[in-house]
Amino acid sequence: MTPVGVLGTGIVGQTFATRLAGLGVDVLVGARSADSASLDPFANLAVRTGSFADAADHADLLVNATNGINSLAVLESIGAESLAGKTILDLSNELVLSDHGFPVPTASVENSVGRRLQEAFPETFVVKSLNTMNCTVMVDPSIVPGDHVVFLSGDDEGAKDRVRAFLASLGWRNEQMVDLGGIESAAGPEMMMKVWMSVTMTRGRDAPRFNWAINSA
Amino acid sequence: MTPVGVLGTGIVGQTFATRLAGLGVDVLVGARSADSASLDPFANLAVRTGSFADAADHADLLVNATNGINSLAVLESIGAESLAGKTILDLSNELVLSDHGFPVPTASVENSVGRRLQEAFPETFVVKSLNTMNCTVMVDPSIVPGDHVVFLSGDDEGAKDRVRAFLASLGWRNEQMVDLGGIESAAGPEMMMKVWMSVTMTRGRDAPRFNWAINSA
């Protein structure tokens, strides 16, 4: 597999780094700075670490594992020139804290992180995918049975093919990949975050992982 | 089964009227006025017709099959007094026409039709349900295989139980009913309309009906 840059050091970034290292992928995890304490959890993994810009230099495929609320600023810190021609797998959701301290998804047809990133970086290929599930399912779909689905939204077919190949390396089967169309369609999976959070809360913290499936007549 | 009032005469209202008449339910379909031409499609069905207010007078359970963009005005035309104590099964989605002539869902965490109706009519019990699928699946879930799901959101447990009983009469099994919590949670299923439309367009007009399922590890 080709090298991968991972943007973001939270639980999603850590889950990807662990899984990709296990697959033998050449990974560089990027943080705000190369000496950020947020990189400490990666010390025992077979991955390299550095700044966001280092991650972008490292690979043609970047996984955006930052919180959607920060994603635009992270890409701006790297710069359009360094990102030109790269494929960004955007698995972010934008969440803001409510007055009650709960995270609230901001997505709507008018407000999509994926579309905003694509519009801000027209020379970069943004593909929205994987944002509709827990990160443990993202990196190993075999833990959930059946033909549960992963959506793809993006304007560039070549970039979508690269993301498909990446998804396949994680264990996703072609039958599970649902191409929704251009990056305009990214709002749809982002808007699923609200019901995903309700289902997660209803099932409880200790419930088994789940993912959406599409049953057909 | 207890009598049912159906608000709305479009394809969703027609589908419900047909199905409920077939089940022998005492149905009154309401339109803007009792002599509206929009009631013509119901002439050959074993249902009564009348105004929206007539439908509300007819039954303690009302099915809101109006376009979400009109739902508040429809309920206001009936009036809070006539609606007090009634249960409204709200299966609406709010869609506006884009510049390109396509319907665009307006839902967000801040903009939920179900919650807006409940706030406007605090003496009425609004239960959001069924809005995440084609109306042919709503009224006969057996056409799609497996444990595909129907969500319920509402503040009143008694009203939710009445909606559960109604869903059961249409063929929904308890295992398929996913209680998301209070009416605040109605935004979640409403926000699924965007991805539902993308999936529908991707699959094409002649594709078989589908519905969401939740696969668990």
Side-chain angles (χ1 to χ4, degrees), chain B residues 75-159:
Chain B
L75 297 194
E76 283 170 346
S77 78
I78 298 171
E81 199 174 338
S82 299
L83 291 172
K86 311 245 178 206
T87 297
I88 297 182
L89 164 50
D90 174 34
L91 42 86
S92 70
N93 286 293
E94 187 174 79
L95 303 171
V96 295
L97 280 187
S98 72
D99 296 343
H100 307 291
F102 291 109
V104 175
T106 64
S108 72
V109 170
E110 303 298 327
N111 184 33
S112 153
V113 186
R115 198 180 64 194
R116 209 182 315 143
L117 298 180
Q118 183 61 83
E119 287 172 356
F121 296 91
E123 305 295 313
T124 303
F125 308 115
V126 177
V127 179
K128 188 93 202 184
S129 192
L130 287 173
N131 71 298
T132 50
M133 65 197 79
N134 182 279
C135 58
T136 57
V137 182
M138 294 182 189
V139 301
D140 188 2
S142 71
I143 68 173
V144 173
D147 281 342
H148 57 100
V149 297
V150 57
F151 300 108
L152 292 99
S153 303
D155 291 338
D156 188 85
E157 290 306 319

Side-chain angles (χ1 to χ4, degrees), chain A residues 104-105 107 109 143-146 179-180 184 188 191-192 194-195 199 202-203 208-217, chain B residues 104-105 107 109 143-146 148 179-180 184 188 191-192 194-195 199 202-203 208-217:
Chain A
V104 175
V109 170
I143 68 172
V144 173
D179 188 339
L180 297 176
E184 178 275 335
M191 292 166 77
M192 294 180 80
K194 171 69 175 164
V195 73
V199 170
T202 301
R203 291 164 58 99
R209 301 301 187 192
F210 70 92
N211 192 22
W212 307 108
I214 298 174
N215 287 18
S216 288
Chain B
V104 175
V109 170
I143 68 173
V144 173
H148 57 100
D179 188 340
L180 297 176
E184 178 276 333
M191 292 165 77
M192 294 179 79
K194 171 67 175 166
V195 74
V199 170
T202 301
R203 291 163 58 97
R209 300 302 187 192
F210 69 92
N211 192 23
W212 306 108
I214 298 175
N215 287 18
S216 287

Side-chain angles (χ1 to χ4, degrees), chain A residues 10-76:
Chain A
I11 186 70
V12 182
Q14 292 174 35
T15 302
F16 267 85
T18 303
R19 172 69 163 151
L20 294 173
L23 291 171
V25 178
D26 180 10
V27 175
L28 197 155
V29 179
R32 208 159 292 275
S33 69
D35 60 357
S36 168
S38 69
L39 289 166
D40 291 350
F42 301 89
N44 294 318
L45 294 178
V47 299
R48 285 189 266 177
T49 57
S51 67
F52 290 132
D54 292 334
D57 285 342
H58 180 71
D60 288 331
L61 177 64
L62 305 177
V63 175
N64 177 29
T66 66
N67 184 331
I69 204 85
N70 303 320
S71 297
L72 188 58
V74 166
L75 296 194
E76 283 169 348

Side-chain angles (χ1 to χ4, degrees), chain A residues 2 20 39 73 151 177 206-207:
Chain A
T2 55
L20 294 173
L39 289 166
F151 301 109
M177 303 182 196
D206 297 327

Side-chain angles (χ1 to χ4, degrees), chain B residues 142-187:
Chain B
S142 71
I143 68 173
V144 173
D147 281 342
H148 57 100
V149 297
V150 57
F151 300 108
L152 292 99
S153 303
D155 291 338
D156 188 85
E157 290 306 319
K160 263 197 255 193
D161 285 345
R162 288 189 284 282
V163 169
R164 282 175 181 279
F166 177 74
L167 294 178
S169 72
L170 296 173
W172 289 94
R173 291 171 284 109
N174 267 323
E175 313 86 82
Q176 296 178 278
M177 303 183 197
V178 179
D179 188 340
L180 297 176
I183 196 68
E184 178 276 333
S185 66

Side-chain angles (χ1 to χ4, degrees), chain B residues 9-97:
Chain B
T9 57
I11 185 70
V12 181
Q14 293 174 36
T15 302
F16 268 86
T18 304
R19 172 70 163 150
L20 293 173
L23 291 170
V25 179
D26 179 10
V27 175
L28 196 155
V29 179
R32 207 159 293 276
S33 69
D35 60 357
S36 168
S38 68
L39 290 167
D40 291 349
F42 301 89
N44 294 319
L45 293 179
V47 299
R48 286 190 267 176
T49 57
S51 67
F52 289 133
D54 292 334
D57 285 342
H58 179 71
D60 288 331
L61 177 64
L62 305 177
V63 174
N64 177 29
T66 65
N67 184 332
I69 204 85
N70 302 322
S71 296
L72 188 59
V74 167
L75 297 194
E76 283 170 346
S77 78
I78 298 171
E81 199 174 338
S82 299
L83 291 172
K86 311 245 178 206
T87 297
I88 297 182
L89 164 50
D90 174 34
L91 42 86
S92 70
N93 286 293
E94 187 174 79
L95 303 171
V96 295
L97 280 187

